Amino acid sequence: MANLDASGVRTFVGTRNFEDSRDFYVALGCTLNWERDGLAELELGGCPFFLQRYYNRQWCENSMLHVTVEDATAWYEHAKRVIDQGSFGGPPRVNPPKEEDYGALVTYIWDPAGVLLHMAQPLGR
């Protein structure tokens, strides 16, 4: 029988301006593992993803990343500082934490291309 084991899943995230998005994610706290030819691997909390020099407005504005975090309020405050102090094009934005029906407190962050990050703190731990 064939070995169908998998060792990871990574998403590709589009960018309107590759450099603005890369700088935004690094300012948020992502590690830039490598970059070449309009493709970069970034990592947050041990979870890598690819940032690519490709933009399709409909795709980017309908892309979402769900990130499990310990403190959604701290992420709101951090993202607000990053956005207020940076120049990332876009414009990126952040909403205050909101309790969602599925049992998480979520801070919503939009990157410079309109990709939505859900910084979700599970409740009831």
Side-chain angles (χ1 to χ4, degrees):
M1 180 173 220
N3 181 346
L4 302 178
D5 290 346
S7 62
V9 175
R10 296 179 194 170
T11 191
F12 283 81
V13 175
T15 62
R16 184 178 328 184
N17 178 297
F18 180 81
E19 290 76 15
D20 284 347
S21 289
R22 178 202 58 215
D23 294 348
F24 177 73
Y25 282 102
V26 168
L28 276 182
C30 294
T31 300
L32 177 62
N33 291 335
W34 55 262
E35 174 186 343
R36 65 179 165 274
D37 300 326
L39 183 66
E41 183 186 76
L42 292 154
E43 187 172 330
L44 182 62
C47 301
F49 62 97
F50 295 114
L51 195 67
Q52 64 179 331
R53 188 184 309 275
Y54 175 78
Y55 181 70
N56 176 290
R57 180 178 176 183
Q58 186 175 9
W59 174 55
C60 286
E61 291 181 359
N62 284 285
S63 292
M64 295 181 273
L65 299 176
H66 185 275
V67 182
T68 303
V69 299
E70 290 294 319
D71 188 340
T73 302
W75 268 100
Y76 169 73
E77 293 164 358
H78 173 65
K80 186 163 177 23
R81 276 191 307 275
V82 166
I83 291 167
D84 289 347
Q85 295 171 359
S87 176
F88 304 106
R93 66 186 201 273
V94 61
N95 281 358
K98 176 183 175 190
E99 190 170 330
E100 294 294 353
D101 291 340
Y102 67 90
L105 184 65
V106 182
T107 293
Y108 294 99
I109 305 169
W110 288 265
D111 83 357
V115 175
L116 176 59
L117 288 78
H118 295 229
M119 308 310 274
Q121 173 187 341
L123 298 175
R125 286 187 184 190

